């Protein structure tokens, strides 16, 4: 066998790895590369077998040349914008890309919905960068390393007095040299810190979040950007080269769960794990709590709010191990359900979680927790969880702890089962029954000291993030929340229950303060009233308010909650005089606490699909087609039959439909446009009334 001394530059193989040998036939001078030998006439399969031992050394050399070409530097920006690959290879006709800039990162992604990107989550990414920065500041300070954030003022400044005598300058120089030696080590943005944090983004998609970590967060040792989609990883590699962060960001194609399970060893764990999937992260949590280091940071996003908000309690139980209830406090209950699920999974491995920050924003919830190991602390986890008894009539709720922690001799804690229930079979206020929800996390949602550090850093450097104004507003409300009071009521809930006019927020807060109770807002709801007052005191205040704004009692049914509540005289006389401390500081300063949607269709985006069309194309038509799909809109049989024929038959596509022309759904080959606008459906006698919700994807992740 003759092995050529040199091989022309190897162009990047196509995503179909099985066509490597086929690509070789496209090279010129093919006969020269195999030593002047022309293969005999044979099938392609036999040619591949014949070439495999012959070209193995050449293939190795070509692969090495290709890897060297990958490290030569970032691609030309103009070429990227024009839709060409970094090596100059033109993309298929009609291929379009979009270039966006967010924070310090600049990425490209296909206009077709092949790799997920949602601009709505810029607040999520900004907040994550701010949290990880403060976490790195705390972790590296213990090692004597000081981080340097662009835009922040230097903590230590050296002031030199030029008027010093000449004879003192030598001593001043020696003292300055000693001072420089005593100064702590520093870690800057974009530099590798050998003792820094190891970060994993399990579902990276375009790699935007990981690239922002590398370009905006100091004190990092490495960032692993993982995704299961080959298309996403290919795009991620381009974006990493474009932003010149290849020394920090390591693209990876793997199942996120398997990757985390492979890093269970203490020396291989990640200091920060970020999970932001499409839908529920439930399938990733077990691996995540094992792959994060001792005291490490775990960041989790949940976008399946319909499940967490109580629309499907049984589904919530199957994913998070808790029953969700429909209530006005559903967004805070969603946060507590996720924290309960995290702690429950960590307890299986003698670990427990400590929440740093829990945020409900837009259409998702986001939690930041630290994970620790300790058998003694794990025993207290049961006393941190609680069941919720909620009245179906008036909405009053009561919490029942699962466990009880009591002091024992020698300063020890004794754990036992709690006693209950805290309510009678019927509600004491309206006589209705109770629903049982949970278990959920009943301890504080935030570490207020840590939240204060993040708020101070963002306020001191407002130009660092595009959403800094909103971050300041949300964190300011969180700082004002009562940390030891789970859940909340709302103004409209209280007034609609007894059918009276709604008091102003300041009036109700003033009445609670005059009565000696504490009260605060909640970042999860604009009209929230979070208070330590019992439900009996709260309804007494509403009875007093009803006397000032009377309700027509004759219109109330005797069995209604309003009639039963108002038939009891209040034992507490409410005072609605406005107090100065009733108006929270964040409201007085006019901070952006509850942002209104800045544009139409502000919310989640469709799931990324291979070869998907543009994200915004025909979205309105699809929405109109699926609007009220679960309802019987068409009563006329002929019109209904014509409407059902607009949906392609899923079983026909699979080749299993036995009804032929009698099938209610279309058996014709749909056009690409019709396929995108219609939803594939099974072909029973009636259309499916419970379409499946989006499942958690291993990749491409949400980004």
């Amino acid at each position: 066998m003759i092995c050529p001394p040199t091989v022309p530059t190897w162009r990047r193989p196509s995503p179909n790895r099985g066509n490597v040998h086929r690509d070789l036939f496209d090279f010129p001078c093919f006969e020269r590369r195999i030593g002047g030998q022309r293969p005999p006439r044979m099938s392609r399969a036999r040619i591949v077998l014949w070439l495999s031992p012959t070209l193995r050394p050449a293939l190795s050399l070509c692969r090495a040349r290709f890897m060297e070409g990958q490290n030569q530097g970032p691609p030309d920006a103009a070429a990227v914008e024009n839709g060409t690959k970094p090596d100059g290879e033109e993309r298929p006709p009609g291929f379009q890309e979009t270039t966006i800039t967010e924070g310090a990162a600049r990425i490209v992604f296909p206009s077709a919905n092949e790799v997920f990107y949602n601009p709505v989550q810029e607040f999520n990414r900004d907040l994550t960068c701010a949290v990880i920065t403060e976490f790195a500041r705390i972790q590296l300070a213990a090692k004597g390393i000081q981080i340097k954030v662009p835009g922040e003022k230097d903590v230590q400044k050296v002031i030199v007095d030029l008027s010093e005598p000449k004879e003192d300058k030598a001593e001043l120089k020696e003292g300055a040299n000693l001072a420089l030696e005593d100064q702590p080590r520093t870690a800057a943005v974009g530099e590798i810190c050998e003792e820094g944090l190891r970060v994993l983004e399990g579902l990276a998609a375009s790699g935007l979040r990981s690239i922002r970590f590398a370009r905006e967060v100091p004190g990092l040792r490495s960032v692993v950007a993982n995704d299961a989609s080959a298309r996403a990883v290919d795009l991620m590699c381009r974006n990493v080269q474009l932003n010149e962060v290849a020394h920090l960001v390591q693209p990876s194609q793997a199942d996120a769960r398997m990757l985390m399970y492979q890093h269970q060893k203490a020396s291989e764990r990640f200091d920060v794990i970020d999970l932001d999937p499409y839908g529920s992260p439930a399938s990733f949590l077990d691996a995540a709590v094992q792959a994060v280091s001792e005291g490490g940071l775990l960041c989790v996003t949940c976008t399946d709010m319909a499940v967490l908000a109580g629309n499907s309690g049984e589904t919530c139980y199957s994913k998070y191990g808790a029953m969700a209830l429909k209530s006005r406090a559903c967004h805070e209950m969603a946060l507590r359900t996720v924290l309960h699920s995290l702690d429950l999974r960590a307890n299986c491995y003698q670990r427990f979680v400590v929440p740093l920050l829990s945020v409900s924003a837009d259409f998702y919830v986001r939690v930041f927790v630290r994970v620790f190991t300790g058998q003694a602390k794990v025993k207290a986890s049961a006393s941190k969880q609680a069941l919720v008894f909620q009245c179906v009539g008036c909405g009053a709720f009561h919490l029942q702890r699962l466990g009880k922690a009591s002091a024992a001799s020698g300063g020890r804690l004794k754990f036992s089962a709690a006693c209950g229930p805290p309510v009678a079979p019927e509600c004491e206020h309206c006589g209705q029954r109770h629903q049982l929800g949970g278990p959920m996390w009943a301890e504080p949602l935030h570490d207020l000291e840590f939240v204060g550090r993040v708020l101070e850093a963002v306020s001191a450097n407002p130009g660092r993030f595009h959403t800094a104004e909103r971050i300041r507003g949300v964190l300011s409300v969180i700082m004002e929340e009562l940390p030891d009071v789970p859940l909340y009521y709302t103004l409209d809930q209280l007034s609609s229950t007894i059918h009276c006019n709604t008091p102003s927020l300041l009036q109700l807060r003033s009445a609670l303060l005059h009565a000696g109770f504490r009260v605060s807002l909640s970042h999860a709801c604009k009209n929230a009233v979070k208070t330590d007052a019992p439900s009996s005191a709260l309804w007494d205040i509403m009875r007093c308010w009803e006397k000032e704004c009377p309700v027509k009692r004759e219109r109330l049914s005797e069995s209604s909650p309003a009639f039963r509540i108002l038939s009891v005289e209040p034992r507490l006389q409410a005072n609605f005089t406005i107090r100065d401390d009733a108006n929270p500081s964040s409201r007085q300063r006019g901070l952006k606490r509850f942002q209104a949607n800045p544009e139409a269709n502000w919310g989640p985006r469709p799931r990324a699909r291979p070869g998907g069309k543009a994200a915004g194309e025909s979205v309105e038509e699809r929405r109109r087609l699926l609007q009220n799909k679960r309802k019987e809109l068409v009563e006329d049989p002929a019109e209904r039959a014509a409407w059902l024929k607009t949906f392609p038959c899923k079983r026909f596509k699979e080749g299993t439909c036995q009804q032929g022309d009698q099938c209610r759904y279309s058996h014709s080959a749909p056009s690409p446009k019709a396929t995108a606008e219609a939803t594939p459906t099974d072909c029973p006698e009636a259309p499916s009334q419970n379409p499946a919700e989006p499942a958690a994807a291993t990749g491409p992740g949400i980004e």
Side-chain angles (χ1 to χ4, degrees):
M1 181 186 69
I2 302 176
C3 182
T6 58
V7 179
T9 304
W10 178 266
R11 68 181 179 92
R12 189 168 187 173
S14 60
N16 186 0
R17 302 298 182 184
N19 295 334
V20 174
H21 292 92
R22 185 180 65 186
D23 293 340
L24 288 173
F25 292 102
D26 298 334
F27 280 86
C29 305
F30 174 74
E31 296 180 9
R32 180 174 59 84
R33 276 196 297 277
I34 59 174
Q37 303 179 20
R38 176 180 290 275
R41 292 184 177 272
M42 60 183 71
S43 65
R44 178 174 295 276
R46 296 183 61 188
I47 291 176
V48 170
L49 293 176
W50 182 80
L51 287 174
S52 295
T54 305
L55 293 179
R56 189 173 291 114
L59 288 174
S60 301
L61 180 59
C62 292
R63 188 177 296 108
R65 293 286 183 88
F66 166 69
M67 295 305 297
E68 292 177 1
Q70 288 293 311
N71 299 326
Q72 291 178 356
D76 181 53
V80 172
E81 290 183 350
N82 294 331
T84 60
K85 287 187 178 181
D87 55 4
E89 181 183 348
E90 295 184 358
R91 297 189 177 275
F95 187 88
Q96 296 181 355
E97 290 182 339
T98 303
T99 304
I100 66 116
T101 300
E102 182 180 296
R106 182 167 173 265
I107 68 166
V108 295
F109 63 94
S111 299
N113 191 28
E114 295 181 287
V115 179
F116 193 87
Y117 167 73
N118 192 352
V120 179
Q121 296 240 17
E122 182 180 5
F123 170 77
N124 186 337
R125 291 184 281 268
D126 286 351
L127 181 62
T128 302
C129 290
V131 169
I132 296 180
T133 298
E134 292 308 307
F135 179 74
R137 196 191 305 272
I138 296 174
Q139 294 293 93
L140 297 184
K143 303 177 182 179
I145 303 176
Q146 179 181 354
I147 66 173
K148 300 179 66 176
V149 180
E152 286 188 358
K153 297 180 180 179
D154 295 336
V155 179
Q156 297 180 355
K157 295 183 179 180
V158 179
I159 302 176
V160 180
D161 188 1
L162 299 179
S163 62
E164 292 288 338
K166 294 183 180 180
E167 57 270 13
D168 296 339
K169 287 186 178 181
E171 298 179 1
L172 181 62
K173 185 176 181 180
E174 294 179 0
N177 293 334
L178 294 176
L180 290 175
E181 295 178 359
D182 296 337
Q183 287 183 356
R185 294 173 292 171
T186 60
V189 171
E191 298 179 356
I192 298 178
C193 180
E194 296 298 334
E195 301 182 39
L197 305 180
R198 297 180 66 242
V199 182
L200 167 66
E201 185 186 2
L203 304 148
S206 62
L208 172 59
R209 192 181 299 250
S210 296
I211 293 172
R212 289 196 58 184
F213 291 163
R215 294 183 63 90
E216 300 179 30
V217 179
L220 302 182
R221 180 167 52 172
S222 63
V223 180
V224 178
N226 177 76
D227 203 286
S229 167
R231 180 72 183 93
V233 175
D234 177 71
L235 184 65
M236 198 186 309
C237 294
R238 297 180 58 207
N239 288 326
V240 167
Q241 296 291 336
L242 177 63
N243 289 269
E244 302 181 6
V245 291
H247 60 292
L248 272 175
V249 181
Q250 306 168 7
S252 166
Q253 181 182 354
D255 186 295
R257 293 164 293 190
M258 296 305 301
L259 180 62
M260 289 186 286
Y261 279 132
Q262 293 170 0
H263 288 78
Q264 297 182 25
K265 190 176 179 180
S267 59
E268 300 178 356
R269 291 174 177 172
F270 297 97
D271 300 297
V272 180
I273 295 181
D274 189 297
L275 296 176
D276 198 345
Y278 188 95
S280 172
S283 59
F284 306 100
L285 299 184
D286 181 79
V289 296
Q290 300 180 66
V292 66
S293 62
E294 180 67 14
L297 180 65
L298 181 58
C299 318
V300 181
T301 300
C302 305
T303 59
D304 56 335
M305 288 302 296
V307 173
L308 289 169
N311 286 350
S312 182
E314 66 280 0
T315 304
C316 184
Y317 179 80
S318 66
K319 292 183 176 181
Y320 301 99
M323 286 291 295
L325 298 178
K326 285 187 177 181
S327 69
R328 300 302 176 91
C330 60
H331 293 95
E332 181 176 329
M333 188 176 292
L335 286 170
R336 296 185 179 276
T337 299
V338 175
L339 291 175
H340 159 75
S341 183
L342 283 170
D343 193 58
L344 183 63
R345 285 169 167 81
N347 291 164
C348 298
Y349 310 100
Q350 300 300 314
R351 312 192 83 182
F352 61 96
V353 302
V354 177
L356 293 182
L357 176 62
S358 307
V359 178
S360 172
D362 297 325
F363 56 90
Y364 60 90
V365 292
R366 177 76 162 170
V367 296
F368 302 88
V369 301
R370 297 186 69 181
V371 182
F372 295 92
T373 305
Q375 184 177 5
K377 294 293 184 67
V378 170
K379 294 181 179 179
S381 291
S383 60
K384 299 177 182 178
Q385 321 298 327
L387 298 172
V388 184
F389 291 84
Q390 179 179 277
C391 174
V392 299
C394 64
F397 57 83
H398 302 268
L399 268 63
Q400 170 65 65
R401 298 271 181 161
L402 291 183
K404 179 182 178 182
S406 55
S409 59
R412 297 180 296 106
L413 286 178
K414 181 180 179 181
F415 302 101
S416 59
C419 299
V423 295
E426 296 181 350
C427 177
E428 59 177 323
H429 308 297
C430 64
Q432 301 291 328
R433 67 187 186 278
H434 291 92
Q435 284 184 326
L436 183 61
M440 69 175 191
W441 181 265
E443 293 295 298
L445 295 173
H446 325 282
D447 183 342
L448 295 183
E449 181 181 356
F450 180 81
V451 175
R453 293 174 63 102
V454 178
L455 177 58
E456 182 181 359
V458 174
S459 301
N461 190 6
R464 184 184 179 195
F465 302 114
H466 181 257
T467 61
E469 185 178 357
R470 186 182 181 190
I471 294 177
R472 287 183 57 202
V474 172
L475 296 185
S476 297
V477 177
I478 288 176
M479 291 291 294
E480 297 170 352
E481 287 183 8
L482 295 177
D484 56 341
V485 178
L487 306 184
Y488 53 81
Y489 297 92
T490 60
L491 285 174
D492 55 321
Q493 169 196 359
L494 297 172
S495 58
S496 62
T497 300
I498 60 176
H499 304 288
C500 70
N501 294 335
T502 304
S504 68
L505 180 65
L506 296 183
Q507 286 175 323
L508 185 59
R509 288 171 58 93
S510 298
L512 289 168
L513 293 173
H514 281 300
F517 301 109
R518 296 180 297 153
V519 62
S520 74
L521 296 175
S522 173
H523 79 280
C525 181
K526 185 176 182 179
N527 298 324
V529 178
K530 184 184 285 288
T531 178
D532 59 349
S535 57
S536 58
L538 201 57
W539 286 123
D540 278 345
I541 292 176
M542 293 305 298
R543 292 186 185 103
C544 295
W545 174 255
E546 188 272 337
K547 292 183 180 299
E548 298 186 8
C549 305
V551 175
K552 295 182 179 180
R553 306 288 182 91
E554 62 273 9
R555 295 187 177 182
L556 300 178
S557 172
E558 294 184 0
S559 61
S560 65
F563 183 86
R564 296 189 178 185
I565 291 175
L566 296 178
S567 61
V568 178
E569 288 297 321
R571 289 171 291 182
L572 183 152
Q573 296 302 319
N575 181 4
F576 294 98
T577 304
I578 304 297
R579 290 179 46 149
D580 294 336
D581 55 348
N583 196 11
S585 173
S586 61
R587 189 170 183 264
Q588 294 179 10
R589 290 181 289 165
L591 300 179
K592 184 183 288 187
R593 304 171 300 161
F594 307 99
Q595 173 183 277
N597 293 346
E599 60 185 31
N601 303 322
W602 184 262
R605 294 292 191 269
R607 181 194 299 272
R609 299 186 184 279
K613 61 180 181 180
E617 183 181 351
S618 302
V619 174
E620 292 299 327
E621 289 79 2
R622 180 178 176 84
R623 287 197 181 104
R624 282 194 294 268
L625 179 64
L626 300 180
Q627 186 71 27
N628 298 321
K629 181 183 177 182
R630 299 184 182 183
K631 298 182 180 179
E632 297 289 340
L633 296 180
V634 183
E635 297 182 358
D636 183 42
E639 294 182 3
R640 177 170 178 78
W643 177 69
L644 292 177
K645 279 294 184 180
T646 61
F647 296 94
C649 178
K650 182 178 179 180
R651 293 185 180 178
F652 175 76
K653 184 178 179 181
E654 297 174 350
T656 60
C657 182
Q658 304 295 331
Q659 299 190 19
D661 296 338
Q662 302 300 322
C663 181
R664 293 190 173 189
Y665 303 99
S666 174
H667 283 193
S668 60
S671 62
K673 181 177 180 180
T675 304
E677 293 179 354
T679 302
T681 317
D682 291 336
C683 57
E685 291 301 320
S688 175
Q689 299 297 314
N690 295 306
E693 67 176 76
T698 59
I702 182 169
E703 187 53 65

